[in-house]
Each structure stands twice: as C-alpha cells, then as structure tokens.
Amino acid sequence: MAKKFPQGFIFGGATAAYQVEGATCEDGRGPCVWDEYMNRPGSRFQADPASDFYHQYKNDLQLCHDFGVNGIRISISWTRILPDGEGKVNPAGIDYYNSLIDECIRQGVEPFVTLHHFDTPLPYFQDGHWLNRKLIDKFVDYAKICFEAFGDRVKKWATFNEPWSIAQNGYIAGNFPPNETFQIAKAIQIEHNLMVAHARALSLYKSMNLPGEIGIVHTLEGKVPISDKPEDRHARDLDDAISNRFMLDACFLGHYSDETMALIGEILEKNHGTLVTEPSDFEDFSAAAGQIDFLGMNYYSSHFLQAWDGESKVFNNSTGEKGTSVFALKGIGARVSNPDVPTTDWDWPIYPQGMHDQLRRIARDYPNYKKIYISENGMGYKDTFENGRIDDTPRIDYVSRHLEAILQAIDEGVNVQGYYIWSLMDVLSWSNGYNKRYGLFYVDYKDQKRYPKKSAYWYRLMAQRGELV
Ligand code: BGP
C-alpha cells in the first residue's frame, strides 16, 4: 500500500476554544454553560488557565510552523463575540479572533474554524439548551456575525463540533451538563434541532458568496456487532442509527431515509418518546445537503455491540481507571469489551479498522460528500515528563495505525484531504480534566511552558516527507 499522502494533504493540529483559551473572564467574555458547570462546588477541575492559548497563541503558532503543522482547528467562543449570546457585539472578542486568524496566516498555518464547540452561552443553556428551537435563530445570527467579521480570511468553516456528543453526553451518559441520564428521546430531538441550525447556517454562508468552504464536524463512532447473531447485529444498527446515521442523513441526503427512521422509531417507541419536526426543517436540510462542501470526521474509537433488553445503565470512566466503563441502553444495545481489541486507560477500544470502515461507509452511503477532513483523531495518554523529554511511543503507534487506515481508504477511492491530530498541545479534557493528555506539545500547567513530545518530532518528519514514516 502507498504510504504517500495526496498532494496538498493538511497535517494539522486541533484545538477548541474552551479547552485551550483560558481567560474566561477577560476582555468582556460572557459566561457559557461550561463556566457555570466547572465553577460548581466540588468540581474536579477548572478551565482557567487551561493551555492559556488566549495569551500564548503566537508561541503555539510558531511551534506549528517549526513542526510542519500547516493547519489548525480553532473554535470561536460565542460569548467572546456576544457576551449575552445576542445583542451587542464585544469588539475585544472580534479583535482577539482577528489577531489569531492573522497570526495563523502569517505563520502559514491555515485556520479551520468551528462556530460551536460545546460552549453554548449560559442564558440559552438555562432556557432549554438545544431542546429550545429559539436557539436555532440565535445561532444563525451569531454565525452571520462571524462570517462577516472573519469570512474574508477563513477558508474552512464548520458549523458544529460533534452534535452527538452534546446529545449523548448531556442527556444519556450524564457526563456533560445538564448531566441528565437515559433521556434518549431528548437526545434525538437535540440531534434534530442541531441539524436544523447547521443547515440554516450553512445556507446562509453560501448565500454570502464568501471565498471559502463550509461543512460540519461529526464524531463517527464505529459500530461492530460482537457476534454474528442477528440480535447483536440489530443492536449495532440501532446504535449506529442514533449515533451516526440519523445526522449523516440530515446533512448529506437532506432527509431521514425510511430505514433510518424505522430504527429511530424503534428506539423512540421503546423509550416512550416522540420526535417533533417542522415541514420547513426538511426544506432546510435539502438546501444544505446540496451545498455542503465537506465532512469533518472525528474518529477515536469503535464500540462492540451486544443485544440488550434490560434498563439503561452507564458508568463513565473519567479517571483513567481501566476496565470500569459500563454502557447499556434500553431499546438500543450494550457496548461490551472485545478481548481481541486493546483499549486506552479510559476504556476506548483502539480499532483503526473502524476508521477505515467509516470512511468507506461515507463514500458508499453518501456519494455526494465531496471531501473529508479527519478533524480529530488522537490518543489520550498519561504522559510522563522526564527532564524535558516525553516519550509517547504508544501515541505514535496509535496515530500511525490510524493514518494507515486513512491511506488505505484513500487508496480505495475515498477523498480525504487532511488530518488534524487531537490535540495540538495538551488541553483541558471536558470530563477528564488534565491527566488525560493528547497533545503533540506537552504543557507544563505550572508555568505554561511547552515541550515537544517524541510524537511532535515524528509528525514533523511525516509532514516534511508527505508520507507515513
Ligand atoms: C471530542 C471533542 C474534543 C475532545 C476529544 C477528546 O469528542 O470534540 O473536544 O475533548 O473528544 O475527548 P476527551 O477529552 O473526553 O478524551
């Protein structure tokens, strides 16, 4: 198999505003849902200063430049731009992102900008979050301000990061605010509402004739039946429908297929829920599906599914104590361990084949997809820091096996044009804090100094040669 990446392939690094910026109270930024959440008594960690990217972005972009990282995923903090979520624009917020974007360009590091990476303004979160359709209009208004302010220089936009994580983690697994559990119908409604907001922002962007492209970032979790039994295969189909297929249909078909709705309907029935849609939603879907420029695909892991007819039960391993996770959902299935597949300390199966299979699946089921960027992939690891050296060989192994899976899919005709490692530098992990590190660059949180890990040197060599090394 060819080890060369296609011409122009992006070797990027990914970040997200809330996980790297810190400075949550500086320069007029308003509160987002996570500020209130992390500041509750008993919270295990805080978002200040995180990786202090708000002040250190020039150093980080210099590191990108020096290490061959030619693309960076950043997100815009909605409440830096609009402290109340709507109304008066905060000039300091616009200034910050202008400087950041200009510095990216100056260093030859192309910015890939996500409008919403989990950090909904606090007042909207308190007013029903994405269950409240009012938020759809608010999001589109905010998107317009960003397109107008930065759209001359930003050439890659994503509307949302991982709608499924907002829905699943907040309303099923309970490890994101509002910490609800097993509200499966609410999660499906949120997915739908987010797809409407995505579609409307995307069409707005297209109507503005700006010189860039726009898509969405989905986390595509591989779903594999643990056996060939029909009931395990059906559990796989159900989990795939709620996690992946429902939203991919909205984004790329412009409607929910009958097969998808049969699976979603079965899940809703078993959980005594309904989905509320409006006829105009499907006009919005269809208009956006005809114009979407790319899929941003985040891939970390796959799940092995077994039939499950019990009640829902979940235990989130958020400390890295291997082997403690539990995940079984009523009307869907149980995610079980596969003894042949290794896992990270946080129980995420390491399964590059799943990435290849998801890439092939996009090309097969959504042939209008145009192109894919791998917008996140990487390994959470408890790095050890010894005299300024960080030997993260397991991470290099993880990433290189996933890049091999990508190259295989490219070889088979899937159009993948870039890879953004999660993460550029060590960052705040939403529900795991600071001991789960992902970065190419180690952050010493005591003084915010950066240290290239072994993986950073490896990544640079690969980027220089344009081939897997
Ligand atoms: C994705 C998010 C990222 C990042 C990553 C790693 O779901 O888009 O923001 O956090 O996962 O997840 P975690 O930090 O939970 O290990």
Side-chain angles (χ1 to χ4, degrees), residues 217-252:
V217 171
H218 281 303
T219 175
L220 291 193
E221 302 170 339
K223 306 290 174 182
V224 186
I226 192 72
S227 82
D228 265 347
K229 288 186 203 153
E231 57 272 31
D232 292 343
R233 298 174 73 87
H234 190 56
R236 185 272 312 271
D237 290 346
L238 291 164
D239 199 340
D240 179 63
I242 189 173
S243 314
N244 301 324
R245 185 171 173 171
F246 185 59
M247 290 174 293
L248 289 171
D249 276 12
C251 290
F252 291 95

Side-chain angles (χ1 to χ4, degrees), residues 15-16 19 73 117-118 161-162 165 169 175-176 217 219 298 300 346 348 375-376 378-380 422-423 427-433 436-438:
T15 71
Q19 293 177 272
R73 254 192 93 200
H117 195 126
F118 302 162
N161 179 71
E162 298 193 354
S165 298
N169 297 358
N175 58 343
F176 273 20
V217 171
T219 175
N298 293 356
Y300 290 89
W346 288 265
W348 294 16
S375 36
E376 284 180 31
M379 187 187 183
W422 185 268
S423 46
V427 306
L428 164 68
S429 166
W430 303 97
S431 50
N432 306 281
K436 190 181 193 185
R437 293 175 182 262
Y438 281 92

Side-chain angles (χ1 to χ4, degrees), residues 338-369:
N338 178 340
D340 297 331
V341 174
T343 60
T344 69
D345 285 345
W346 288 265
D347 298 326
W348 294 16
I350 301 174
Y351 191 64
Q353 178 71 36
M355 176 172 237
H356 166 267
D357 296 348
Q358 286 298 327
L359 287 167
R360 288 296 301 267
R361 173 264 183 105
I362 296 297
R364 183 191 66 220
D365 296 346
Y366 306 98
N368 65 328
Y369 74 97

Side-chain angles (χ1 to χ4, degrees), residues 34 37 44-45 165 167-182 221 303 313-329 335 345-348 429-432 436:
W34 285 90
Y37 183 74
R44 286 163 53 213
F45 29 81
S165 298
Q168 172 182 251
N169 297 358
Y171 298 83
I172 296 177
N175 58 343
F176 273 20
N179 301 106
E180 293 188 15
T181 46
F182 319 137
E221 302 170 339
H303 301 127
K313 52 178 188 174
V314 168
F315 180 80
N316 301 301
N317 168 1
S318 58
T319 54
E321 203 183 320
K322 209 166 175 163
T324 53
S325 295
V326 177
F327 200 100
L329 294 183
R335 298 177 188 171
D345 285 345
W346 288 265
D347 298 326
W348 294 16
S429 166
W430 303 97
S431 50
N432 306 281
K436 190 181 193 185

